[in-house]
Amino acid sequence: MAVLALGVLATPAFSQSISLVCRCVDGGVSSNQVKWIKEFVIPTFEAAHPGVTVTLNEFGGSDEALKQQYALDLSVGKGFDVMGFDGFWIPEFASGNLLKPLVDVAGSAVTEWEGWSHISAGIQSIMSYQGKIYGIANGTDVRMIFYRKDILGRAGVPNADSWQPINWQDLADTARIVLRAFPDSAPLQINAGTSMGEATTLQGYYMLLLGTGEEPFMDGKWVVRSQGILDTLNFYKEIYVDNKLGSQRVQLVNDGRDQSFANFRDGKTAMLVEGDWFYRSVTAPGSEFAVENRDEVMGWAKMPAEHPGAGIRGQDYVSASGGTGWVLNPNTAQPALAWELMELMNSKEARDAYMTYQPGIAARDDVPVPNSPFLTETAKALLPLTTSRPNNDDYAKVSEQIQLMTENVVSGAMSPQQAMDAYAAAVTGIVGAENTVDRLK
């Protein structure tokens, strides 16, 4: 079997054990990942390492709860050998000396791994910090507008089967047409508020701000005041406060994200900005929010810039990408064995096997997406347009302020100018004035 050629047979292993953990539960969140680990990874690794036992620890809490558990374990020199990790956590953990670069944990075997030649620098950066690699990404994702062809068609939107807005005004105008046809609907969902956490920052705010040609972190400084921020907040106000083109309530309640999924499933929301996992997981047949006749009634469109050519890098359309992967616990008693497990998990054979459980955009360029025209089409169209979050250790705290800024606007508590001023003060307090820039001066 090809995976036996990874060099793992040379490892002496007598009654050893190795552990891994992820936010995954058999029958629950990331259930397919559990099946892949139990049915492929563990049997393959144990067969190649007689005497070694691999244990999967399934964590069923929230992302934030897992992050807190990691911080607690690592701060006292404990934790599992291999950990599933969100890429945007790495700057915070690395700068806090809770994680180490892979090569510092497992040595030269890391640099000699054949897989690096099949993972682009951009995707490697998802699990990197200050030029050093802390983990291996499973893959990446892209964000877009999902829309209901059937709802747009019944509302009288032209070209409903191949709808593609060319600017923000076009997006809002489409929502107005749907709202006139269905007065009880909430046609447009662009995440906002604190309860949706990072989904507000990346799926909502980023997708708008990139359309103004800006990012939250530019040229080594955090942008605290800018025309792009104001335009983004004014669009939120237009959607949720002035014209009720989306549900203000959904942005503010604790289970708002689930409610937004339910609204799309039930046809109350016709357009929703999300990542590709919305198709491959949230609305997939058999899931809680499965859309009936999904491939007939559901389409996708690129997120337009505020105006054609106004997006980041002068683009007409924008997207944002993140990703999760695996890191090594720097406290592991068996760094070589832990690396060999990670090496196997990210081999072509293992990632090909993973595709049979959960198709997605792979990190490796030699792992195709089988039988998924949607993922093939969206990856081809959106990866050239995408932007990743900054690998900065203040990102997580700034992201919380972004979420609060949007909440202050969509709740009607503040005007866009007031919310931006409050954001500027908060971020300056977090990162220091020398690390900020006011682009309105």
Side-chain angles (χ1 to χ4, degrees):
M1 193 171 188
V3 291
L4 299 181
L6 294 171
V8 293
L9 284 175
T11 301
F14 301 99
S15 301
Q16 293 175 291
S17 63
I18 204 83
S19 60
L20 70 157
V21 60
C22 56
R23 181 171 178 257
C24 54
V25 176
D26 193 3
V29 62
S30 299
S31 180
N32 287 332
Q33 181 164 262
V34 174
K35 293 177 182 175
W36 169 68
I37 291 172
K38 289 183 174 179
E39 296 173 6
F40 179 87
V41 173
I42 291 177
T44 303
F45 192 77
E46 289 182 345
H49 295 73
V52 173
T53 300
V54 179
T55 303
L56 170 65
N57 296 273
E58 302 174 30
F59 186 89
S62 66
D63 286 329
E64 189 60 30
L66 181 59
K67 180 185 174 186
Q68 291 174 357
Q69 186 64 52
Y70 283 165
L72 178 63
D73 289 344
L74 294 171
S75 67
V76 295
K78 296 184 177 179
F80 300 102
D81 298 303
V82 178
M83 301 179 291
F85 223 80
D86 200 313
F88 85 94
W89 296 346
I90 286 180
E92 185 179 354
F93 278 70
S95 64
N97 295 317
L98 296 177
L99 282 184
K100 292 181 180 178
L102 289 177
V103 71
D104 289 358
V105 180
S108 61
V110 172
T111 56
E112 294 166 1
W113 181 48
E114 61 79 32
W116 298 123
S117 64
H118 291 287
I119 301 176
S120 70
I123 292 181
Q124 288 183 29
S125 71
I126 292 171
M127 303 296 286
S128 298
Y129 174 62
Q130 293 188 340
K132 297 183 178 179
I133 298 174
Y134 284 75
I136 304 176
N138 290 323
T140 188
D141 50 23
V142 286
R143 282 158 180 78
M144 66 204 81
I145 308 170
F146 291 94
Y147 69 94
R148 291 286 300 260
K149 298 177 184 177
D150 54 338
I151 305 301
L152 265 56
R154 286 159 50 196
V157 175
N159 302 314
D161 285 343
S162 57
W163 175 75
Q164 175 59 67
I166 61 171
N167 55 34
W168 290 0
Q169 191 60 52
D170 201 7
L171 183 58
D173 286 346
T174 301
R176 289 188 183 89
I177 293 172
V178 175
L179 188 62
R180 280 198 296 271
F182 306 106
D184 293 331
S185 69
L188 179 58
Q189 173 64 34
I190 302 177
N191 293 350
T194 58
S195 68
M196 296 199 198
E198 188 63 15
T200 282
T201 305
L202 200 57
Q203 270 86 293
Y205 182 80
Y206 245 95
M207 291 290 279
L208 289 172
L209 186 67
L210 290 171
T212 72
E214 297 184 10
E215 298 179 68
F217 188 76
M218 302 180 74
D219 299 324
K221 293 184 182 295
W222 292 101
V223 180
V224 293
R225 287 189 178 87
S226 72
Q227 191 58 51
I229 295 175
L230 272 179
D231 289 355
T232 295
L233 297 179
N234 274 313
F235 193 68
Y236 269 123
K237 181 171 178 286
E238 178 183 354
I239 297 300
Y240 291 114
V241 180
D242 296 342
N243 297 313
K244 308 297 183 187
L245 300 176
S247 171
Q248 184 183 48
R249 181 179 180 279
V250 162
Q251 316 315 307
L252 303 176
V253 297
N254 288 335
D255 64 343
R257 198 166 185 218
D258 282 354
Q259 289 194 27
S260 74
F261 295 160
N263 284 345
F264 189 87
R265 175 197 61 197
D266 299 338
K268 184 175 181 180
T269 290
M271 297 163 287
L272 180 149
V273 182
E274 260 294 349
D276 58 74
W277 76 289
F278 185 70
Y279 175 87
R280 56 184 166 81
S281 179
V282 177
T283 60
S287 71
E288 179 180 0
F289 304 109
V291 173
E292 189 174 355
N293 300 320
R294 179 185 61 171
D295 291 339
E296 296 179 15
V297 305
M298 185 170 152
W300 69 275
K302 293 179 286 189
M303 182 69 178
E306 183 176 13
H307 310 289
I312 197 77
R313 300 180 290 269
Q315 296 172 189
D316 296 338
Y317 300 96
V318 300
S319 186
S321 295
T324 60
W326 302 92
V327 301
L328 293 180
N329 186 334
N331 308 305
T332 178
Q334 303 176 97
L337 196 60
W339 166 251
E340 287 173 5
L341 178 59
M342 240 174 79
E343 195 178 38
L344 167 65
M345 294 170 71
N346 293 282
S347 66
K348 173 173 170 51
E349 292 79 5
R351 301 315 303 184
D352 280 337
Y354 185 75
M355 287 291 179
T356 66
Y357 292 88
Q358 180 67 70
I361 302 173
R364 295 185 62 119
D365 61 11
D366 55 351
V367 177
V369 184
N371 303 318
S372 180
F374 166 79
L375 288 172
T376 301
E377 291 172 7
T378 54
K380 182 178 180 180
L382 300 177
L383 281 178
L385 303 175
T386 200
T387 300
S388 298
R389 291 167 285 197
N391 289 332
N392 185 286
D393 49 330
D394 289 319
Y395 174 81
K397 293 178 181 176
V398 173
S399 178
E400 292 175 357
Q401 294 304 317
I402 288 172
Q403 295 153 28
L404 180 59
M405 176 169 60
T406 63
E407 182 167 297
N408 284 333
V409 172
V410 302
S411 67
M414 292 184 183
S415 69
Q417 181 69 53
Q418 290 170 330
M420 182 177 69
D421 289 344
Y423 171 76
V427 173
T428 300
I430 292 169
V431 305
E434 69 278 14
N435 296 312
T436 67
V437 59
D438 183 342
R439 299 185 65 170
L440 293 180
K441 283 186 176 177

